[in-house]
């Protein structure tokens, strides 16, 4: 029903796309550190995180989705749209990768997300410096294949790490387009606040660098419940 209402809003021209979510909660008596160790062993990714929030609350996950990364010179992003499973062997990998790269839906979705990403970057980059380094490049992770764009721009001297992270927050890949309207519709249609889901795990460096990872493949453990 929620999806049908979202489609109706798009049919009326309010939105180009909408990304809805659903959270699952189960009783779980598990040690978070042990679960994270198993995750690192069985499903490793370049970007993994474990956070002790106090009060018995733990967050941990594995996500290749880099929301934004910046050093003293560049602001870089890697919008992701399109996910296929890894194959059981090299030949099956090829079949899966071909399916991803020939998907018109995934190609159009990534184009929309990349456009939104460039608009975000324009807020913290030198005018005219934003460029697309690669388009729909395949990335093979431990269990999935992603199609990823790579965009960068020269960092403005008056923007710190917090400015850069906030400019790229709530990316179109987890909200929809246009972003502001998509956030309104998500708040209206989804039964509750997303909490940590689709937020970001953020690192701010003393050197002015920063990195934000979209929190997608993760678990929250608190009071004997896994979400």
């Amino acid at each position: 029903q929620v999806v049908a209402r979202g489609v109706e809003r798009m049919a009326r021209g309010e939105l180009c796309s909408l990304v809805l979510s659903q959270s699952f909660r189960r009783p779980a008596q598990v040690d978070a550190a042990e679960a994270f160790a198993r995750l690192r062993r069985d499903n490793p990714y370049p970007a993994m995180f474990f956070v002790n929030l106090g009060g018995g609350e733990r967050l941990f996950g594995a996500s290749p989705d880099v929301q934004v990364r910046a050093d003293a010179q560049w602001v870089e992003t890697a919008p992701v749209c399109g996910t296929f499973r890894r194959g059981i062997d090299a030949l099956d990998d090829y079949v899966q990768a071909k399916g991803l790269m020939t998907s018109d839906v995934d190609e159009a979705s990534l184009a929309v997300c990349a456009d939104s990403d460039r608009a975000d970057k324009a807020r913290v980059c030198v005018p005219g410096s934003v460029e697309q380094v690669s388009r729909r490049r395949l990335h093979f992770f431990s269990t999935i294949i992603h199609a990823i764009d790579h965009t960068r721009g020269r960092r403005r001297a008056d923007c710190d790490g917090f400015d850069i992270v906030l400019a790229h927050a709530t990316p179109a890949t987890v909200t929809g387009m246009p972003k502001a309207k998509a956030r309104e519709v998500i708040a209206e249609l989804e039964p509750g606040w997303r909490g940590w889901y689709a937020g970001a795990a953020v690192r701010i460096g003393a050197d002015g660098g920063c990195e934000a990872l979209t929190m997608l493949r993760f678990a929250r453990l608190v009071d004997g419940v896994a979400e």
Side-chain angles (χ1 to χ4, degrees), residues 96-179:
Q96 292 297 106
K98 183 178 180 181
L100 174 55
M101 294 304 289
T102 55
S103 169
D104 293 337
V105 171
D106 288 316
E107 181 179 10
S109 297
L110 184 54
V112 169
C113 292
D115 283 345
S116 173
D117 172 73
R118 284 190 289 271
D120 294 339
K121 200 170 278 76
R123 298 164 58 188
V124 292
C125 291
V126 175
S129 70
V130 178
E131 60 180 355
Q132 188 170 62
V133 180
S134 62
R135 166 70 175 152
R136 293 196 80 204
R137 181 180 174 185
L138 289 175
H139 286 252
F140 291 80
F141 297 98
S142 58
T143 59
I144 57 175
I145 306 171
H146 269 331
I148 301 178
D149 278 3
H150 179 197
T151 306
R152 69 178 185 178
R154 291 195 177 276
R155 177 176 178 167
R156 274 175 32 199
D158 60 340
C159 291
D160 63 18
F162 289 99
D163 294 326
I164 293 168
V165 169
L166 291 174
H168 293 82
T170 62
T173 51
V174 293
T175 55
M177 282 289 290
K179 287 203 301 182

Side-chain angles (χ1 to χ4, degrees), residues 56-67:
E57 184 177 6
R58 307 286 193 275
L59 287 175
F60 62 90
S63 178
D65 300 76
V66 177
Q67 201 169 106

Side-chain angles (χ1 to χ4, degrees), residues 5 9 20 31 33 47 128 134 136 162 171-172 186 207 211 213 221:
R5 291 168 64 189
R9 303 293 285 270
L20 296 171
D31 181 82
S134 62
R136 293 196 80 204
F162 289 99
I186 286 169
D207 61 354
E211 185 174 24
L213 316 170
L221 295 178

Side-chain angles (χ1 to χ4, degrees), residues 3-84:
V3 170
R5 291 168 64 189
V7 170
E8 181 183 346
R9 303 293 285 270
M10 287 190 285
R12 293 207 300 257
E14 297 179 33
L15 298 162
C16 298
S17 63
L18 180 66
V19 184
L20 296 171
S21 72
Q22 184 177 10
S23 295
F24 297 89
R25 298 171 182 86
R26 299 287 186 272
Q29 297 300 326
V30 61
D31 181 82
E34 291 181 3
F36 182 58
R38 292 201 303 271
L39 180 67
R40 292 182 64 189
R41 180 194 68 201
D42 298 336
N43 196 30
Y45 280 102
M48 305 190 74
F49 55 90
F50 183 99
V51 187
N52 180 351
L53 295 164
E57 184 177 6
R58 307 286 193 275
L59 287 175
F60 62 90
S63 178
D65 300 76
V66 177
Q67 201 169 106
V68 65
R69 179 186 292 125
D71 58 19
Q73 184 176 12
W74 296 102
V75 178
E76 296 184 285
T77 50
V80 176
C81 269
T83 304
F84 276 46

